[in-house]
Amino acid sequence: MRREPTVDAVVFDYGGVLTAPGRQAVESWTRAEGIRPESFSALLREWVGSEAAADTPLHRLETGLLPIEEFNHLLAARLHPHHEEGRIEPAGLLQRLFSFMHQDEETLRLVTKLRGAGLRTALLSNSWGNTYPWEQLEGLFEHAVVSGSVGLRKPDPEIYRLLLDRMDLLPENTAFVDDVRANVTAARRLGMHTVLHRDAARTEQELRELLGDLDKHDRR
C-alpha cells in the first residue's frame, strides 16, 4: 500500500505568490514609466535566466551585494523608452515597480487556513532590495529567510537547507510553493514536495491533494 506523505510545514515565496502575479505589476510599471516591455524581458533573460552568468547585477542585488539605487542606475541604462526623446528616471525605479505588487488576499487566507490546521508556515524569498510589509504578515509565518539578508538566493540549494535547518525540518516533511519553475525544481531535487504557483485556488487544490482536508484536520 502506498504511504501518504507526512507534511509538517509549507514554505511560501513572496513576490508573485503572496502578491499579484509579477507580470501584472511589470505591465503596469512599464506602462507608467514609458518603458518598452520587450527591453525589460530581454534584460531579465540576460540577468536572471537559465543561461545567465553567475554574478549578474540582479544576482548581486538579490544577495545583498549591490545597493538598490546603484542597481536602479544600471537598470535604467539598459531599458528602452517608447520614444527616442524619452528618458527612464533611475531614482526610485524598482521602488515604483514594487508599488504595483499588491498583496494577494486569497493566498494570504490560504496561509491562515494552513496555520489553523496546525501546519507550520515559513517565507523564503529572493529580495530585489525591497522592504516587506512585515506588519501585515505578522502572525502568518513562523520563520522568514530573505536572500538579501543571508547572502544566498534561490535556486541555490543552500538557501533551502538554511531554512530547513533553522526550523529543524526534513525536506520530505516540507512543501514549497513558488511561481518560478527553477526554484520549484531545486526544492524538488532536495526532496521537498512542491507546488508551482499560478493562482491561490490551484495552489490550495494541490496542497489539499497533498495534505488532505484542511478544514477538518488539525495537526496540533
Side-chain angles (χ1 to χ4, degrees):
M1 180 180 294
R2 180 176 177 271
R3 185 177 179 182
E4 292 299 317
T6 299
V7 174
D8 301 318
V10 183
V11 179
F12 287 85
D13 175 40
Y14 181 72
V17 175
L18 299 180
T19 73
R23 65 181 180 277
Q24 292 181 10
V26 167
E27 287 172 1
S28 299
W29 173 69
T30 53
R31 186 165 52 249
E33 298 289 329
I35 298 167
R36 291 185 182 272
E38 62 273 15
S39 68
F40 183 64
S41 298
L43 194 60
L44 282 184
R45 288 192 296 272
E46 179 184 339
W47 282 1
V48 78
S50 59
E51 303 299 321
D55 194 31
T56 70
L58 189 47
H59 291 172
R60 287 185 284 129
L61 176 71
E62 289 182 328
T63 52
L65 297 176
L66 184 65
I68 187 171
E69 288 306 338
E70 186 176 339
F71 178 86
N72 280 337
H73 280 81
L74 294 173
L75 178 61
R78 294 290 305 275
L79 296 176
H80 302 304
H82 277 293
H83 305 290
E84 289 186 8
E85 66 275 13
R87 177 179 180 271
I88 307 302
E89 173 56 50
L93 185 56
L94 270 191
Q95 290 90 331
R96 294 193 294 277
L97 169 58
F98 302 146
S99 72
F100 292 104
M101 297 189 71
H102 307 297
Q103 290 189 4
D104 187 310
E105 297 300 330
E106 290 299 318
T107 308
L108 293 173
R109 277 193 284 271
L110 173 58
V111 178
T112 299
K113 188 178 297 184
L114 293 171
R115 290 186 65 83
L119 285 138
R120 302 170 71 187
T121 56
L123 183 71
L124 180 59
S125 174
N126 281 357
S127 168
W128 283 19
N130 55 299
T131 58
Y132 291 74
W134 297 119
E135 69 285 352
Q136 298 173 37
L137 300 176
E138 184 177 1
L140 290 179
F141 301 104
E142 177 182 330
H143 197 76
V145 169
V146 176
S147 65
S149 298
V150 298
L152 298 165
R153 59 179 291 276
K154 297 176 290 185
D156 183 342
E158 290 307 311
I159 196 170
Y160 302 86
R161 293 191 182 104
L162 177 65
L163 176 64
L164 294 171
D165 288 346
R166 286 184 175 183
M167 296 184 68
D168 195 23
L169 288 168
L170 295 173
E172 59 267 30
N173 299 135
T174 309
F176 175 67
V177 180
D178 200 301
D179 63 326
V180 175
R181 190 175 298 276
N183 296 341
V184 168
T185 299
R188 189 182 304 119
R189 285 175 178 161
L190 284 174
M192 301 170 75
H193 306 278
T194 58
V195 175
L196 181 62
H197 180 83
R198 288 294 174 260
D199 58 59
R202 280 183 281 187
T203 289
E204 179 169 354
Q205 178 59 40
E206 290 192 46
L207 287 175
R208 284 182 180 276
E209 291 172 3
L210 180 63
L211 302 168
D213 191 340
L214 300 178
D215 299 311
K216 296 181 180 180
H217 186 56
D218 191 326
R219 296 164 179 263
R220 287 171 293 186

